[in-house]
Amino acid sequence: MTDQDHPARRLLLVHAHPDDESINNGATMAKYAAEGARVTLVTCTLGEEGEVIPPALAHLAADRDDTLGAHRVAELAAAMKELGVTDHRFLGGPGRFRDSGMMGAPQNHREGAFWAAPVDEAAAYLVEVIRSVRPQVLITYDPDGGYGHPDHIQAHRVAMRAADLAADASFREDLGAPHTIAKIYWNRVPRGYAEDGFARLRAARVSFPATGAVDDIPGVVDDAVITTEIDGTAYAAAKTAAMRAHATQIAVEGDFFALSNNLGQPVLTTEYYELVRGERAAGSRETDLFAGVTP
Ligand SMILES: [Zn+2]
């Protein structure tokens, strides 16, 4: 099948909040979309609990008007336009699962919180997407969610569970024919590359009051763990524009950005992955997520 709905290469990404996709995979998404692959993003929550950076929009926050979710739906749509991605969805529909807070926060146990949802119940929504889109490649976080945020950990659990359930012919026949995802990747950042980025940041004239630390970057690992590297240099501008579209969450300045903690970080335009399921040619790093995949 190579018609418009089923291009030969199909990539699925599962993320916790609007903005995670642009920060982690913006260049990868732009590249594969530009090359004609079908890129499907599933975001698990609306990010309702996020802190708001621009003072003029501070009233949207959960402890004030609590209207941040709807605003972030629009930010995500604008970001996807920058990346050329047309298929973006929310797990179970917009607002089905609510953003949890940081680990230990009381709102994590609230009715409807993503962190409080049974994994299999949330995974069933993703099984339906997997069996309909039939991606060969899935990208999500590692078991720690990259940095321990409950929604990111839950997104990992749901994505991995859904990949298994989607392939299981005995699970929910009503959700479509079984489908096995050939390759699964976790988001990674090699320590050496992150260190280089912070060195550039320290040498640059930026207005962020302080600089983040390499170990605060989600998914930082020793370089040897990396299996796959996607050179997104040609899509750096698209990635930066997508990050800028998430204006309540990200302040972009040149090739650098800060989240609400105001700590400067480099925008990383080469994106790295660890292949955790599927075949890889022995030896050097992959430079294509679809390497070895047959349509
Ligand atoms: Zn997030």
Side-chain angles (χ1 to χ4, degrees):
M1 290 185 288
T2 53
D3 58 90
Q4 215 183 356
D5 285 341
H6 287 92
R9 298 187 299 169
R10 299 177 302 276
L11 168 64
L12 172 66
L13 302 99
V14 177
H15 274 292
H17 312 110
D19 81 354
D20 292 317
E21 78 298 322
S22 297
I23 297 169
N24 286 280
N25 312 107
T28 301
M29 293 171 75
K31 171 186 150 72
Y32 282 103
E35 292 176 357
R38 177 168 180 174
V39 177
T40 300
L41 169 68
V42 174
T43 307
C44 297
T45 79
L46 304 185
E48 297 95 330
E49 298 291 324
E51 289 177 40
V52 176
I53 296 175
L57 297 174
H59 62 95
L60 299 173
D63 58 358
R64 292 182 60 186
D65 299 350
D66 196 16
T67 50
L68 184 56
H71 189 87
R72 293 186 72 177
V73 170
E75 288 184 339
L76 181 64
M80 292 306 94
K81 222 170 197 164
E82 300 290 352
L83 299 181
V85 170
T86 53
D87 184 9
H88 51 95
R89 317 159 180 222
F90 289 93
L91 186 68
R96 172 65 185 80
F97 297 105
R98 183 166 169 120
D99 188 6
S100 314
M102 289 297 178
M103 197 57 90
Q107 59 267 38
N108 296 353
H109 306 289
R110 188 153 66 185
E111 179 75 25
F114 187 46
W115 179 242
V119 170
D120 280 17
E121 191 183 310
Y125 292 108
L126 191 56
V127 168
E128 191 170 9
V129 176
I130 292 170
R131 287 180 176 175
S132 140
V133 173
R134 313 187 78 74
Q136 298 104 333
V137 176
L138 166 67
I139 295 174
T140 190
Y141 313 108
D142 69 17
D144 182 45
Y147 71 115
H149 189 294
D151 288 324
H152 287 237
I153 294 171
Q154 184 80 332
H156 160 86
R157 291 176 181 167
V158 167
M160 299 302 285
R161 181 69 176 145
D164 286 340
L165 292 174
D168 179 351
S170 68
F171 179 77
R172 296 282 306 267
E173 286 173 44
D174 59 307
L175 298 181
H179 174 73
T180 301
I181 298 172
K183 300 174 89 176
I184 300 180
Y185 292 95
W186 292 344
N187 287 308
R188 293 299 192 191
V189 176
R191 187 174 303 279
Y193 182 61
E195 283 167 354
D196 291 349
F198 279 106
R200 275 190 290 112
L201 170 59
R202 283 189 294 269
R205 287 170 177 275
V206 289
S207 58
F208 304 122
T211 298
V214 167
D215 282 301
D216 295 337
I217 303 275
V220 163
V221 286
D222 290 338
D223 295 28
V225 174
I226 307 297
T227 61
T228 309
E229 113 176 42
I230 302 300
D231 180 355
T233 311
Y235 301 95
K239 174 169 182 163
T240 306
M243 289 173 66
R244 215 180 274 279
H246 291 289
T248 61
Q249 305 300 306
I250 307 176
V252 179
E253 191 178 323
D255 298 332
F256 307 99
F257 74 101
L259 303 173
S260 61
N261 62 13
N262 229 347
L263 298 175
Q265 297 183 43
V267 175
L268 303 176
T269 51
T270 298
E271 294 170 345
Y272 294 86
Y273 302 94
E274 178 183 359
L275 178 69
V276 295
R277 192 175 298 176
E279 294 298 319
R280 163 167 86 115
S284 58
R285 282 180 186 170
E286 295 177 330
T287 55
D288 177 13
L289 300 170
F290 292 87
V293 163
T294 44

